[in-house]
Amino acid sequence: PSTRHFQNTEYIMKLLFENWRGYLDENVDEMLSMSLHDFDQTKEGWRSISDPSQQSEIMIQYIEANPEAKEDQTLMWHLGQALAFSGDVSGALAQMKIVNQNETHPHNKIYQMFTIYFLEEDMSKFSDLYNQYQPQIEGDTENTNIQIVKCLKACGDKGNFDYKHAYDTRCSC
């Protein structure tokens, strides 16, 4: 490559480094102004960010900018999950327990309890709950959350409480 090519590359890199923060800030502003559904349920919202720590940060910013979002149990659960994926288990548990207290859908409440017991590394409580629903759990091969519960159990039974590893529909534990 010619000297000119390197100069152009250097110039482009310089522009990127000088302007990337502004680009990110614009993206954040766009996200913060999205509808709750679009922010939480589409790939344009927090799911467009791959780092769980950054996901939880943008969710917190969204909730601060849109206080009514705090009432949405699904978003608040996703915040707890992002905290768990980032390794902040105590923060995740605090968030998830609040959501679980406010949850009105029985199936969601049960799924959440499985997750909480897993993150608490309490396989005794996990197994007690699992045994109550064992025929329904083991008879289901379709429901995503049930497949995740099966993986949480398989991993937890082996002492693997890494949420990133255990939150999988195709369990490798």
Side-chain angles (χ1 to χ4, degrees), residues 34 39 132 141 154:
M34 289 178 148
F39 177 77
Q132 290 177 42
T141 59

Side-chain angles (χ1 to χ4, degrees), residues 1-158:
S2 69
T3 305
R4 186 168 177 80
H5 172 78
F6 284 115
Q7 288 173 336
N8 284 342
T9 302
E10 281 180 25
Y11 176 73
I12 291 168
M13 294 303 287
K14 183 176 185 266
L15 281 176
L16 283 172
F17 283 122
E18 289 174 353
N19 295 302
W20 73 275
R21 179 65 70 190
Y23 173 75
L24 289 180
D25 289 343
E26 284 177 29
N27 247 7
V28 167
D29 290 343
E30 283 179 30
M31 273 195 224
L32 297 181
S33 65
M34 289 178 148
S35 71
L36 176 59
H37 175 271
D38 288 350
F39 177 77
D40 190 41
Q41 298 296 319
T42 70
K43 289 182 172 128
E44 285 76 42
W46 65 264
R47 296 167 195 263
S48 67
I49 301 168
S50 59
D51 181 316
S53 295
Q54 292 175 356
Q55 289 175 342
S56 60
E57 282 180 33
I58 193 71
M59 284 187 232
I60 291 166
Q61 288 178 30
Y62 184 86
I63 293 161
E64 289 170 354
N66 303 279
E68 71 284 356
K70 193 171 188 162
E71 302 304 315
D72 186 83
Q73 296 303 298
T74 305
L75 175 62
M76 301 311 287
W77 180 258
H78 290 153
L79 173 57
Q81 287 182 306
L83 291 167
F85 284 127
S86 71
D88 181 0
V89 174
S90 62
L93 282 168
Q95 181 62 42
M96 289 175 166
K97 287 177 179 181
I98 292 168
V99 171
N100 188 255
Q101 286 174 341
N102 295 321
E103 183 58 61
T104 58
H105 301 289
H107 291 98
N108 289 351
K109 198 166 192 72
I110 294 165
Y111 167 71
Q112 292 165 358
M113 288 310 304
F114 279 120
T115 304
I116 290 166
Y117 293 150
F118 177 84
L119 290 172
E120 290 177 332
E121 300 183 17
D122 190 337
M123 289 312 289
S124 175
K125 286 182 182 176
F126 189 103
S127 293
D128 288 346
L129 186 60
Y130 190 93
N131 291 338
Q132 290 177 42
Y133 298 97
Q134 187 170 359
Q136 298 95 315
I137 293 169
E138 293 182 1
D140 189 308
T141 59
E142 302 289 321
N143 183 285
T144 299
N145 286 348
I146 289 177
Q147 306 320 303
I148 290 168
V149 166
K150 290 177 185 178
C151 192
L152 294 175
K153 180 171 179 16
C155 292
D157 284 347
K158 293 179 179 173

